[in-house]
Amino acid sequence: MKIAMLGSGFIARFYATSLHAQRRKDSIYTVYSRDENNVKRFAEDYQLPHYTTSMEEAINHPEVEVVLIALPNHLHEAAVVACAKARKHVLCTKPLGRTAAEAKRMLELVEEAGIFGGYLEDLCYTPKFLKSVASIREGSIGRVLWTRSREAHPGPHSDWFWDKEKSGGGAIIDLACHCVEISRNFIGKEIKPIEVMCWADTQVHPIEAEDHAIGLVKFANGAIGQFEVSWTFRGGMDLRDEVVGTEGSIWTNSFLRTGFEVFSSGKGGNYVAEKAETNKGWLFPVGDEAHELGYPHMFTDMFDAIENNRQPLETFYDGYIVNAILDAAFLSAKTKRWEPIVLDVWRGDETTNEKEASISHDDEYDLVKEEVLPNGDVKLILKNKITGTVIQKIK
Amino acid sequence: MKIAMLGSGFIARFYATSLHAQRRKDSIYTVYSRDENNVKRFAEDYQLPHYTTSMEEAINHPEVEVVLIALPNHLHEAAVVACAKARKHVLCTKPLGRTAAEAKRMLELVEEAGIFGGYLEDLCYTPKFLKSVASIREGSIGRVLWTRSREAHPGPHSDWFWDKEKSGGGAIIDLACHCVEISRNFIGKEIKPIEVMCWADTQVHPIEAEDHAIGLVKFANGAIGQFEVSWTFRGGMDLRDEVVGTEGSIWTNSFLRTGFEVFSSGKGGNYVAEKAETNKGWLFPVGDEAHELGYPHMFTDMFDAIENNRQPLETFYDGYIVNAILDAAFLSAKTKRWEPIVLDVWRGDETTNEKEASISHDDEYDLVKEEVLPNGDVKLILKNKITGTVIQKIK
Amino acid sequence: MKIAMLGSGFIARFYATSLHAQRRKDSIYTVYSRDENNVKRFAEDYQLPHYTTSMEEAINHPEVEVVLIALPNHLHEAAVVACAKARKHVLCTKPLGRTAAEAKRMLELVEEAGIFGGYLEDLCYTPKFLKSVASIREGSIGRVLWTRSREAHPGPHSDWFWDKEKSGGGAIIDLACHCVEISRNFIGKEIKPIEVMCWADTQVHPIEAEDHAIGLVKFANGAIGQFEVSWTFRGGMDLRDEVVGTEGSIWTNSFLRTGFEVFSSGKGGNYVAEKAETNKGWLFPVGDEAHELGYPHMFTDMFDAIENNRQPLETFYDGYIVNAILDAAFLSAKTKRWEPIVLDVWRGDETTNEKEASISHDDEYDLVKEEVLPNGDVKLILKNKITGTVIQKIK
Amino acid sequence: MKIAMLGSGFIARFYATSLHAQRRKDSIYTVYSRDENNVKRFAEDYQLPHYTTSMEEAINHPEVEVVLIALPNHLHEAAVVACAKARKHVLCTKPLGRTAAEAKRMLELVEEAGIFGGYLEDLCYTPKFLKSVASIREGSIGRVLWTRSREAHPGPHSDWFWDKEKSGGGAIIDLACHCVEISRNFIGKEIKPIEVMCWADTQVHPIEAEDHAIGLVKFANGAIGQFEVSWTFRGGMDLRDEVVGTEGSIWTNSFLRTGFEVFSSGKGGNYVAEKAETNKGWLFPVGDEAHELGYPHMFTDMFDAIENNRQPLETFYDGYIVNAILDAAFLSAKTKRWEPIVLDVWRGDETTNEKEASISHDDEYDLVKEEVLPNGDVKLILKNKITGTVIQKIK
């Protein structure tokens, strides 16, 4: 497919590098940026046939089949408006909006225009993540009880992201959007997120927005999706997920410990590992950063979905749900209590807590726990069905 | 020194095994349990000269210099009362009390009696932990911003621990007592813990107490001590700490990933790894469980402290502070908001938030971030001191 | 480009899956297998427009631009003969030949026919490997002294590989071909491999060929390339490299520890991790197996090279060098001494040992070692230039 | 017990620190060194009641029950002579001798004198190692086929070790003594080591002795014990073992990856990790170095053995076997072929290769391999009992 890229900054370059690698058949046809120098350089670097400083021109170019929004957060909505008007399919970088209200308007725009709205949540497309979710769906770890998604690094690359007005917030809007959608996928997207408790603070930087936050999202089935996001982390980029289910656990590390370890005395003097803060001592590069972050698999799903007229794994609707959860998180950080998640649009289940019934051991007792002791004995912890008294017994 | 052991269950055996290993010079002289069979078997197993079913007899035995309380939580206070009366030094297992009120009475008892009150918080004595804390004190990771302490496993071994009345709670009283004291040590014991936000739920077991909880403890300097505790974890015992400071980070794993990995087809059929749930597939034993959990270093500090008439690293006072934090956690889990930590006794600093001043870049700008780009350029993110506008600049 | 696939077995399917993934523009046009059922099923599975039981028909089909040999080892040469005759570019799976003589004939065939001869050594294309080699070339770890490449698993999937006549050997021909080429890349392909010492044995299986071997390849600059290969490993597929240089070290793990860890009680009952021997306990899947093993990057290099009329990273010449080293390894395993590597064709340097000169400390002493002691002192180990006496000195 | 320490250098201090830690009941009574200043400082640092510059005085002191030899390698024999004469029990640091001849004389001295001869092979006492060996004895990984023991660092601390005459060699005598004994324990001490193939070179340092070596020790049952030793490693101290058996595998890492990871920007400026070459970037300390290296468990076994009049796990006899293997390794490095191990004294089994018989599948076929395919099929690789033809079959 032929793509119009809106934006020419850090994330636009990351997308372009991923799209033009590995002999893929889709390609960027034109790029838009308001800055003449930047857009020209971008077009040269990626050998594009066209570039422009007019967003409308890029979107409306007859060769363009799909538009990729890689602009600062405060410019997403206007770009979606233009795409809807031009009836061009649109893929939007994360977060979708700065608020749920903004995201909802974008969702309505694409649905009313009948265009494709893909949400570029790359971390829900990393190969480890896709395999984890598939494995969970097959029952490998039972019912998911808790997830922890952590993304932390020393802060974003671009100036606009440090400006709350343009970005919509700090570490929460930048990073928790990933974590929240990760937890939704692990727990099940059909399960309704109910309420959020969030702590946020500006611990290190001279900015207004939060540079560190921790949140708990409670789902209708009792599962908890925990996010930990920070612009204060030292040591590279910490990108880890954990999931605990009734029958197992999953741990993934997508950046700092992926089976690639280098020690350098520093004499070579060269760049070894991404985001490493140093080129000396033990360093932990990744083999192929774009792959590890999910870009190739994400674009494959998006373009396949357009061609096959199906929904991608991540849609504008998902982007809206994420924004609604983040809205509640911001509010909770202020009110210091759990805040309900307001969802004007909800297309999943309306379930309540689906805890399993107790496991009956015999007429008198329920089973609390069964354990094999080092000596081979099997020990049972049992609870009297009526009195509630707990006893232990060797089987 | 000669020790009276109160209790003959799981933890008493763990203590005894640690004390009688490695040619240590301190030894257990007598053991007490109300159960005649258990106490006799314990005395035989550890070749003790004496045993008794009378707690008073054990404590008051003239050979005994120090009493070690390894009883269920609801029996700690009565044992401390008896020790105070007998003027015998006392070491008490964790948690000190079921509530801060209980812990405070025990603290007052030992202080009024002028006896030694050691708090057996073993996880604050693991070699990794001791070295981490020393390294932090020397400035290796700067000012501590956040700690995460996680302890999770499939549930306790003994029946009484599943009974809320006897234990004082579930995973919080069992495990968060460790995590909270770990965070206090990382952040600085002189820094006052202010308030707690806690989620707790009974997700899996047919019990009244919580089997899973997550809490955030806020300290006076803005640092956050996070605890994650669970009786629902599958995969062994998950025992990990993380610390993030302004100049670095620390990650420790004390059980499941310590550089010891075994794959077994299961044909041998024997016990390979502690708490492993299985003897087949990849297993992760620890070399010396007692050492990895801190017991030897803990007892060394305790007996050295008694001999040298100094305080140990962990005292009854610390046990009381921990209980006060847990009280607030239990309350927060119910009220669903941050709850203040009530400290009738506080012997640390009365500081407020000690955030560093902004770093001035020049007359006009403060420094937000400095970053080396892959091409070697140094990029500065700067904030206008008056307008707050954020810009970027290549140095 | 349009491809004719020769073969329809395990490796052919792996190649096809990689080629037809991620919206790549090259595609398989036809497949050949002597077995009618297999070839038909393959064509259906990958939705190919054509299939045939005639190798010549596949190669000579006018749509076909490049032929991909995915046949058992003993059939490689005949396929290359047919490609040379048809003047079609050819990519051949590893090892190139069963012996250097066979490989040399294939090399001469493609060079005389003026066709492209790509050697499908996928493990020299894994993202970790490509980045490691680039980093070494930039000096990050200094002069390479030693490499260790290990590939071990419980044995190959296909019957023919257990038949020495068809495969050309056991674990050495199957796995050491990877390891040897990995070490050549790390050490520098221009450095001549001189001699080999190899141990090989049939430790477990009722076969004639070796199921376990260890070899040391000595290069002209004194560097050692160590290979460890086995069909006896239990625990999955062990795929690790290590490199030690004068200024640093590299460790990669491409399969069993890549930052993806799953514990499953086994209740789900489903397939979680590749080659895992079990679906219970701790399992270590990889995110995207083809990617981790280098297939996508390998094919990208091959087709780009054909289009740009340049050599790929791995050529038939490299395949020949590898076979020559393996010949010496097989011989050494029998003679039980170091055996010279016979290279009729050698296109690299004719260097000798390039050890650095001693580092002079002062007129009297050379520097042996400099070390910072825990107390901050710098200790020097010095050797008298004339007498050779070694002394130590605090700087 | 009361100990005379011979030597006051690096290893003597390591021993003393271990012995005087953790409230152990054995203690050093006197220390000998020929250097007055050193011996005095040592006695002060460890608060010893006595010190002397006369070796005989130390050994013969009436308070002394056991002598601990922590002297350079070329002085071991004279010290053992003196202990035998004084009929004092003796513990000797590793390696026992510089050659098997020297070691054999020491073995004969202690046996003829009827004194205890403990061989201080600490790495055969690390908790991970002890548990690994116990687990192997219980069958957890089946019959051991191969072991790899690696010890590598940037070179020893003391000048004498760089002098071949005093030390007896380079990295082989310093480090391979550990590795060889580790492999003997894993494979079974009763299994006779038969022959050795060894490569050794001086790759980096201006010395005569080897600074890097790799060796294969072949045992009577066909098992291979591989050692990799180096004074050229960069990145800290690499201390790892691997074992592969017919039913499983073991991996241990005793230093660089033990579940303790620190990132430091270096601003703190202080010492974080042992042998780390730097205090910046990612660092990997160990919790308790002496424990991780096996000292406490080693001394416990030694003194318990003396008191109980039994043999320790590691004896002078073991030290002699190790020296005999190293002799063959040195010879092989020169002759470039496998060299037989000359054992004048051998007290183990005189077995030959104990390979299992083939597993019969049915009347016609032996089983080569059984494998579960991703689709759940069970695939058998079978070998015809008479013709040797290999086929595959879905069960």
Side-chain angles (χ1 to χ4, degrees), chain B residues 1 21-26 127-129 131-132 135 138-141 247-254 257-272 274 282 285-289 291-292 296-297 299-300 303-304 307, chain D residues 1 22-26 127-129 131-132 135 138-141 247-254 257-272 274 282 285-289 291-292 296-297 299-301 303-304 307:
Chain B
M1 309 200 82
Q22 303 302 338
R23 300 178 62 81
R24 299 177 69 104
K25 56 189 165 195
D26 311 298
K128 285 170 187 166
F129 184 80
K131 192 166 283 187
S132 295
S135 172
E138 287 174 14
S140 65
I141 64 165
E247 299 296 333
S249 303
I250 295 175
W251 294 348
T252 66
N253 190 325
S254 294
R257 298 292 184 275
T258 62
F260 193 176
E261 321 184 20
V262 177
F263 179 87
S264 177
S265 72
K267 276 200 187 154
N270 289 300
Y271 177 77
V272 178
E274 306 83 2
W282 280 102
V286 292
D288 178 337
E289 189 172 344
H291 173 91
E292 203 66 44
H297 288 77
F299 286 124
T300 295
F303 296 122
D304 281 353
E307 284 183 358
Chain D
M1 309 200 82
Q22 303 303 339
R23 300 178 62 83
R24 298 178 70 102
K25 57 189 166 194
D26 312 297
K128 285 170 186 165
F129 184 80
K131 191 166 283 186
S132 295
S135 172
E138 287 175 15
S140 64
I141 64 165
E247 298 297 334
S249 304
I250 295 176
W251 295 347
T252 65
N253 190 325
S254 294
R257 297 292 184 277
T258 62
F260 194 176
E261 321 184 20
V262 177
F263 179 87
S264 177
S265 71
K267 277 201 187 154
N270 289 299
Y271 176 78
V272 178
E274 306 81 3
W282 280 101
V286 292
D288 178 336
E289 189 172 344
H291 174 91
E292 202 68 42
H297 288 76
F299 285 123
T300 294
D301 178 51
F303 297 121
D304 281 352
E307 283 182 359

Side-chain angles (χ1 to χ4, degrees), chain C residues 194-260:
Chain C
I194 301 299
E195 54 182 354
V196 183
M197 193 283 153
C198 179
W199 163 84
D201 199 356
T202 312
Q203 290 189 309
V204 171
H205 301 93
I207 56 170
E208 278 167 72
E210 72 286 352
D211 60 12
H212 200 162
I214 301 165
L216 304 179
V217 182
K218 189 169 183 178
F219 287 79
N221 66 349
I224 291 289
Q226 175 177 329
F227 63 79
E228 293 176 20
V229 293
S230 183
W231 288 349
T232 69
F233 182 71
R234 301 301 301 266
M237 182 158 79
D238 189 9
L239 211 56
R240 283 179 291 162
D241 297 330
E242 297 182 30
V243 193
V244 171
T246 50
E247 299 296 334
S249 304
I250 295 176
W251 293 349
T252 65
N253 191 325
S254 294
F255 229 78
L256 278 173
R257 298 293 183 274
T258 62
F260 193 177

Side-chain angles (χ1 to χ4, degrees), chain B residues 60-304:
Chain B
N60 288 289
H61 195 291
E63 290 285 338
V64 166
E65 300 167 81
V66 55
V67 180
L68 204 164
I69 302 174
L71 297 164
N73 298 347
H74 63 302
L75 303 174
H76 292 186
E77 187 176 3
V80 173
V81 168
C83 291
K85 201 172 153 197
R87 295 266 186 277
K88 291 284 174 85
H89 296 310
V90 60
L91 311 179
C92 185
T93 192
K94 51 100 269 179
L96 186 57
R98 287 171 296 178
T99 61
E102 211 173 54
K104 195 181 157 202
R105 290 195 298 269
M106 289 189 251
L107 170 61
E108 288 164 353
L109 278 164
V110 299
E111 297 196 340
E112 281 160 18
I115 56 175
F116 181 94
Y119 178 50
L120 298 179
E121 177 39 84
D122 58 290
L123 292 184
C124 292
Y125 284 100
T126 77
K128 285 170 187 166
F129 184 80
L130 292 173
K131 192 166 283 187
S132 295
V133 169
S135 172
I136 289 171
R137 292 291 95 83
E138 287 174 14
S140 65
I141 64 165
R143 177 167 60 97
V144 171
L145 301 171
W146 168 77
T147 71
R148 177 216 193 196
S149 181
R150 174 169 175 82
E151 181 161 0
H153 57 56
H157 303 287
S158 306
D159 51 1
W160 67 265
F161 229 124
W162 296 90
D163 180 334
K164 200 174 172 176
E165 191 48 44
K166 289 177 183 157
S167 62
I172 291 178
I173 204 78
D174 181 23
L175 305 174
C177 60
H178 290 302
C179 302
V180 155
E181 187 61 357
I182 284 169
S183 68
R184 281 188 69 224
N185 274 277
F186 282 139
I187 290 165
K189 279 190 179 180
E190 70 284 4
I191 311 295
K192 196 169 187 176
I194 300 298
E195 54 182 353
V196 183
M197 192 281 153
C198 179
W199 163 83
D201 199 358
T202 311
Q203 290 188 309
V204 171
H205 301 93
I207 55 171
E208 277 168 71
E210 73 286 353
D211 59 13
H212 199 162
I214 301 165
L216 304 179
V217 182
K218 190 167 183 180
F219 288 79
N221 66 351
I224 291 289
Q226 173 176 330
F227 63 79
E228 294 176 19
V229 293
S230 182
W231 287 350
T232 69
F233 182 71
R234 300 301 300 267
M237 182 158 78
D238 188 9
L239 213 54
R240 285 179 291 163
D241 296 331
E242 297 181 30
V243 192
V244 170
T246 51
E247 299 296 333
S249 303
I250 295 175
W251 294 348
T252 66
N253 190 325
S254 294
F255 229 78
L256 278 173
R257 298 292 184 275
T258 62
F260 193 176
E261 321 184 20
V262 177
F263 179 87
S264 177
S265 72
K267 276 200 187 154
N270 289 300
Y271 177 77
V272 178
E274 306 83 2
K275 302 176 172 58
E277 301 197 47
T278 171
N279 68 341
K280 198 175 159 176
W282 280 102
L283 304 163
F284 298 87
V286 292
D288 178 337
E289 189 172 344
H291 173 91
E292 203 66 44
L293 296 178
Y295 294 106
H297 288 77
M298 175 178 73
F299 286 124
T300 295
D301 178 51
M302 291 294 164
F303 296 122
D304 281 353

Side-chain angles (χ1 to χ4, degrees), chain B residues 100 145 165 216 229 308 332 350 359 393:
Chain B
L145 301 171
E165 191 48 44
L216 304 179
V229 293
N308 296 311
S332 168
E350 292 290 353
I359 300 167
K393 208 165 100 173

Side-chain angles (χ1 to χ4, degrees), chain A residues 1 21-26 127-129 131-132 135 138-141 246-254 257-272 274 282 285-289 291-292 296-301 303-305 307, chain C residues 1 21-26 127-129 131-132 135 138-141 246-254 257-272 274 282 285-289 291-292 296-301 303-305 307:
Chain A
M1 309 200 83
Q22 303 302 338
R23 300 177 63 81
R24 298 177 70 104
K25 55 187 167 197
D26 311 297
K128 285 169 186 166
F129 184 80
K131 193 167 280 187
S132 295
S135 172
E138 287 174 14
S140 64
I141 63 165
T246 51
E247 298 296 334
S249 304
I250 295 177
W251 294 347
T252 65
N253 190 326
S254 294
R257 297 293 184 276
T258 62
F260 193 178
E261 321 185 19
V262 176
F263 179 87
S264 177
S265 72
K267 275 199 189 154
N270 290 300
Y271 177 76
V272 177
E274 306 82 4
W282 280 102
V286 293
D288 178 336
E289 189 173 344
H291 174 91
E292 203 67 44
H297 289 75
M298 175 177 73
F299 286 123
T300 294
D301 178 51
F303 296 121
D304 281 353
E307 284 182 358
Chain C
M1 310 200 82
Q22 303 303 338
R23 299 177 64 81
R24 299 177 69 104
K25 56 188 167 197
D26 312 297
K128 284 169 186 165
F129 184 79
K131 192 166 281 186
S132 295
S135 171
E138 288 174 14
S140 64
I141 64 165
T246 50
E247 299 296 334
S249 304
I250 295 176
W251 293 349
T252 65
N253 191 325
S254 294
R257 298 293 183 274
T258 62
F260 193 177
E261 321 184 20
V262 177
F263 179 87
S264 176
S265 72
K267 276 198 189 156
N270 290 300
Y271 175 76
V272 178
E274 305 81 4
W282 280 102
V286 292
D288 178 337
E289 189 172 344
H291 174 92
E292 203 67 43
H297 288 76
M298 175 176 73
F299 286 123
T300 294
D301 179 50
F303 297 121
D304 280 353
E307 284 182 357

Side-chain angles (χ1 to χ4, degrees), chain C residues 40-232:
Chain C
K40 199 178 159 189
R41 189 172 159 199
F42 189 99
E44 282 168 8
D45 287 350
Y46 294 98
Q47 299 181 286
L48 308 186
H50 187 267
Y51 67 86
T52 171
T53 58
S54 154
M55 188 164 77
E56 274 64 30
E57 189 191 339
I59 293 172
N60 289 287
H61 195 292
E63 290 285 338
V64 166
E65 300 167 81
V66 55
V67 179
L68 204 164
I69 302 174
L71 298 163
N73 298 349
H74 62 303
L75 303 175
H76 292 186
E77 187 176 4
V80 172
V81 168
C83 291
K85 202 172 152 197
R87 295 264 186 278
K88 290 284 175 85
H89 297 311
V90 61
L91 312 179
C92 185
T93 192
K94 48 101 275 181
L96 186 57
R98 288 170 296 178
T99 62
E102 210 173 54
K104 194 181 156 202
R105 289 194 299 270
M106 289 189 252
L107 170 60
E108 288 165 353
L109 279 165
V110 299
E111 297 197 339
E112 282 160 17
I115 56 174
F116 182 93
Y119 179 50
L120 298 180
E121 177 40 85
D122 58 288
L123 292 184
C124 292
Y125 284 100
T126 75
K128 284 169 186 165
F129 184 79
L130 293 173
K131 192 166 281 186
S132 295
V133 169
S135 171
I136 289 171
R137 291 293 93 84
E138 288 174 14
S140 64
I141 64 165
R143 177 167 60 97
V144 171
L145 301 170
W146 168 78
T147 70
R148 177 218 192 193
S149 181
R150 175 169 176 81
E151 182 161 359
H153 56 58
H157 303 286
S158 304
D159 51 1
W160 67 265
F161 228 125
W162 297 92
D163 180 333
K164 200 177 172 172
E165 191 49 43
K166 290 178 182 155
S167 63
I172 291 178
I173 204 79
D174 181 25
L175 305 174
C177 60
H178 290 301
C179 302
V180 156
E181 187 61 358
I182 284 169
S183 69
R184 282 187 69 224
N185 274 279
F186 281 139
I187 289 166
K189 279 190 178 179
E190 70 285 3
I191 312 294
K192 196 169 186 176
I194 301 299
E195 54 182 354
V196 183
M197 193 283 153
C198 179
W199 163 84
D201 199 356
T202 312
Q203 290 189 309
V204 171
H205 301 93
I207 56 170
E208 278 167 72
E210 72 286 352
D211 60 12
H212 200 162
I214 301 165
L216 304 179
V217 182
K218 189 169 183 178
F219 287 79
N221 66 349
I224 291 289
Q226 175 177 329
F227 63 79
E228 293 176 20
V229 293
S230 183
W231 288 349
T232 69

